[in-house]
Amino acid sequence: MSETHFGFQKVDERDKVRRVRGVFDSVASRYDVMNDLMSLGLHRAWKAYTVAVAAVREGDRVLDIAGGTGDLARAFAGKVGSRGLVVLTDINEAMLRRGRDRLLDEGMVLPTALCDAEALPFAPESFDLVSVAFGLRNMTHKERALAEMHRVLRPGGRLLVLEFSKVAAPLQKVYDWYSFKVLPRIGKVVAGDGESYRYLAESIRVHPDQQALKGLMKDAGFGHVDVHNLSAGVVALHAGIKC
Ligand SMILES: C[S@@+](CC[C@H](N)C(=O)[O-])C[C@H]1O[C@@H](n2cnc3c(N)ncnc32)[C@H](O)[C@@H]1O
């Protein structure tokens, strides 16, 4: 078994899967309120931008991977209409349950699947669009996950990866201070778990930056990849086309 990153630590690959599960089991119940607090609501704008770039049409088939509490799936469901399909998936039961329950409370019944992005239970070329927001960073074999996303897309279909990325140099110091000093404290007070939010900050630092992720997507078979920096690179949206 080889080693991989869990934040700044080097751990056995199986241990990473277990620890990532622990993080999301722990934060699931406070996940949405923490997202609003720690991003000062900005995650809503980043997701709205992703949905705008996706430009899904009525009748499209959309797969949301690592969909958690369902923000993107819910937005896509409003666009594809009754002839379309949006499937909400996640590897973590606690997160997926919250997503499904939240959608049900809003009167939306979407198919959900508990599955690992590295082994998707869908036939090749099943979807017009695949999205993954703030999930790729947590995956052990990103190349494997990207290859799976490519496999389930139809030719001409698009993958949208919304993820934390490399912030512009002038903001680096203040961003580090916020991530390592402030964020874990907010996590401790609001979610009763500072460590999971320390992992969040560390995992962002070891995640491939804009150019490296673009390279991984090209290696996975995406012929064209656009990179959109958001909030000075705090987050980047990578849009890849299967061509
Ligand atoms: C930060 S949350 C993002 C949730 C949602 N997409 C959002 O933007 O609010 C990351 C999600 O990735 C999921 N995840 C981690 N590893 C995964 C994997 N290998 N396959 C599928 N989902 C995974 C976690 O369970 C968690 O729900």
Side-chain angles (χ1 to χ4, degrees):
M1 183 62 61
S2 29
E3 288 202 318
T4 185
H5 282 287
F6 177 77
F8 289 161
Q9 298 173 51
K10 284 271 192 171
V11 299
D12 181 278
E13 288 185 342
R14 263 179 312 204
D15 206 28
K16 168 157 179 165
V17 175
R18 188 183 57 77
R19 286 180 184 218
V20 168
R21 187 186 317 126
V23 165
F24 290 104
D25 280 346
S26 163
V27 304
S29 63
R30 306 293 284 159
Y31 180 80
D32 290 321
V33 68
M34 273 302 290
N35 258 358
D36 276 334
L37 267 178
M38 67 188 186
S39 74
L40 305 172
L42 274 173
H43 77 104
R44 292 172 185 260
W46 298 327
K47 287 169 180 164
Y49 183 79
T50 303
V51 173
V53 169
V56 294
R57 288 179 296 206
E58 262 201 69
D60 277 354
R61 300 155 301 165
V62 179
L63 174 65
D64 187 32
I65 292 178
T69 56
D71 282 348
L72 282 186
R74 174 172 166 244
F76 289 136
K79 308 233 173 243
V80 301
S82 54
R83 285 191 304 112
L85 170 75
V86 178
V87 184
L88 171 64
T89 70
D90 200 286
I91 200 172
N92 185 287
E93 194 175 339
M95 291 290 285
L96 195 61
R97 254 182 216 288
R98 284 201 83 80
R100 189 198 52 187
D101 291 353
R102 185 175 161 221
L103 293 172
L104 282 175
D105 287 348
E106 293 175 16
M108 267 181 225
V109 185
L110 301 190
T112 55
L114 186 67
C115 61
D116 186 346
E118 297 181 23
L120 292 171
F122 304 104
E125 304 184 8
S126 302
F127 296 97
D128 302 296
L129 183 95
V130 171
S131 59
V132 54
F134 305 110
L136 188 66
R137 199 183 63 245
N138 302 294
M139 294 170 195
T140 309
H141 307 101
K142 296 175 198 4
E143 296 85 351
R144 210 177 280 171
L146 290 170
E148 278 293 83
M149 296 174 201
H150 185 269
R151 181 182 66 79
V152 301
L153 273 172
R154 68 159 167 83
R158 284 181 308 146
L159 169 64
L160 296 183
V161 182
L162 181 67
E163 188 53 270
F164 292 105
S165 205
K166 178 105 178 134
V167 72
L171 293 181
Q172 190 67 60
K173 267 198 172 154
V174 69
Y175 185 58
D176 281 349
W177 169 79
Y178 176 75
S179 310
F180 291 108
K181 300 284 182 218
V182 180
L183 201 60
R185 286 191 194 157
I186 302 178
K188 192 164 182 197
V189 173
V190 179
D193 180 355
E195 277 313 298
S196 290
Y197 286 91
R198 183 171 307 286
Y199 160 73
L200 167 67
E202 292 182 2
S203 66
I204 292 169
R205 299 313 187 277
V206 296
H207 186 64
D209 67 12
Q210 285 86 339
Q211 285 313 309
L213 178 53
K214 180 174 179 173
L216 286 180
M217 288 174 68
K218 288 216 155 201
D219 291 348
F222 292 93
H224 182 84
V225 180
D226 277 333
V227 183
H228 309 231
N229 274 314
L230 306 176
S231 305
V234 169
V235 162
L237 175 65
H238 285 66
I241 303 179
K242 177 171 175 174
C243 50

